[in-house]
């Protein structure tokens, strides 16, 4: 998966690019729990790039934040989330 940490409105946020199905309420919460150790103390937004725009899932309101983020300008980094998180002092990118 590709991910990035960005500042939006003065707050640091982790964005993880995922398949469309991972932004659904049935799958999103489980994936957020699985990703949290990789982004300690950061809010995480799951984002899927669709033909007609973007879909997002998070534990917070995503529509206003997603409108502020210019995803085409974000430098995403490939991260192997199956390898296990790095130590708590460093982020995986």
């Amino acid at each position: 998966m590709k991910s990035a940490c960005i500042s939006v409105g003065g707050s640091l946020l982790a964005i993880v690019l995922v398949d469309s199905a991972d932004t659904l309420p049935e799958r999103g919460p489980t994936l957020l729990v699985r990703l949290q150790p990789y982004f300690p103390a950061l809010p995480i937004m799951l984002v899927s790039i669709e033909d007609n725009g973007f879909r997002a899932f998070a534990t917070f309101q995503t529509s206003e934040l997603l409108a502020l983020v210019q995803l085409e300008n974000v430098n995403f980094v490939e991260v192997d989330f199956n390898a296990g998180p790095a130590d708590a002092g460093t982020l995986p990118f």
Side-chain angles (χ1 to χ4, degrees), residues 9-21:
S11 297
L12 197 56
L13 168 72
I15 295 179
V16 180
L17 296 180
V18 298
D19 292 329
S20 183

Side-chain angles (χ1 to χ4, degrees), residues 7-90:
S7 179
V8 179
S11 297
L12 197 56
L13 168 72
I15 295 179
V16 180
L17 296 180
V18 298
D19 292 329
S20 183
D22 291 325
T23 63
L24 297 174
E26 297 83 20
R27 291 177 59 170
T30 302
L31 185 54
L32 287 176
V33 168
R34 186 173 150 232
L35 295 174
Q36 193 61 60
Y38 297 88
F39 305 99
L42 288 181
I44 301 170
M45 180 168 32
L46 306 175
V47 176
S48 171
I49 300 172
E50 306 288 323
D51 290 337
N52 60 346
F54 305 100
R55 288 180 59 149
F57 182 86
T59 58
F60 49 87
Q61 180 65 16
T62 61
S63 58
E64 287 94 20
L65 281 176
L66 198 54
L68 295 173
V69 176
Q70 295 178 337
L71 290 176
E72 62 275 2
N73 297 327
V74 174
N75 184 27
F76 288 96
V77 176
E78 189 74 36
V79 178
D80 182 3
F81 290 106
N82 294 319
D87 69 47
T90 59

